[in-house]
């Protein structure tokens, strides 16, 4: 699978969130306090896209029924013990890249 180029870093502003495609799969991408975070763009509850969620600190809240996730590691804070996939993000030259192998 490896690294997938998402776009130019200059296109991603601080404090924003996006739905992007990496390896033909939808990913929720967040930029928070200067760093990028990526996770599967699907709520564990009923699959709502988390890129449309409400962000506060390092958490995103699914707007449909309010499940909350830590986008640093994909942990679902509303259902202890459950976790969604999160992915590594890196800056390579002027590009932003996501690795679709699950974070270790
Ligand atoms: S679909 Fe996300 S909380 Fe229900």
């Amino acid at each position: 699978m490896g690294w997938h180029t998402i776009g130019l870093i200059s296109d991603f502003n601080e404090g924003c969130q996006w739905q992007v495609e990496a390896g033909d799969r939808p990913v929720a991408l967040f930029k928070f306090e200067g760093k990028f975070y990526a996770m599967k763009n699907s709520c564990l509850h009923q699959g709502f896209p988390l890129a449309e969620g409400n962000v506060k600190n390092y958490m995103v809240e699914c707007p449909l029924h309010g499940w909350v996730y830590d986008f640093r590691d994909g942990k679902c804070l509303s259902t202890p013990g459950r976790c969604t996939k999160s992915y590594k993000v890196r800056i390579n030259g002027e590009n932003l890249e996501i690795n679709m192998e699950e974070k270790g």
Side-chain angles (χ1 to χ4, degrees):
M1 293 206 218
W3 293 94
H4 298 269
T5 300
I6 304 304
L8 292 170
I9 298 164
S10 54
D11 291 338
F12 297 96
N13 294 326
E14 172 62 29
C16 294
Q17 60 207 71
W18 306 266
Q19 176 175 313
V20 298
E21 298 280 326
D24 292 330
R25 284 186 280 167
V27 173
L29 176 69
F30 303 91
K31 186 175 185 185
F32 190 77
E33 295 191 343
K35 289 190 177 173
F36 290 96
Y37 302 91
M39 62 191 293
K40 186 176 177 181
N41 191 28
S42 177
C43 181
L44 288 169
H45 183 217
Q46 292 180 359
F48 196 84
L50 294 172
E52 296 180 25
N54 308 306
V55 170
K56 187 175 181 187
N57 295 324
Y58 290 95
M59 296 174 285
V60 58
E61 180 188 47
C62 179
L64 210 51
H65 311 101
W67 285 23
V68 176
Y69 298 82
D70 186 328
F71 52 67
R72 291 172 292 186
D73 56 13
K75 272 194 190 123
C76 180
L77 306 175
S78 305
T79 55
R82 294 191 71 188
C83 194
T84 193
K85 290 179 182 172
S86 59
Y87 307 109
K88 290 179 185 164
V89 185
R90 75 178 181 189
I91 292 167
N92 187 6
E94 295 183 348
N95 292 321
L96 186 70
E97 299 179 341
I98 294 177
N99 192 315
M100 293 303 287
E101 289 168 27
E102 205 169 336
K103 258 187 191 172

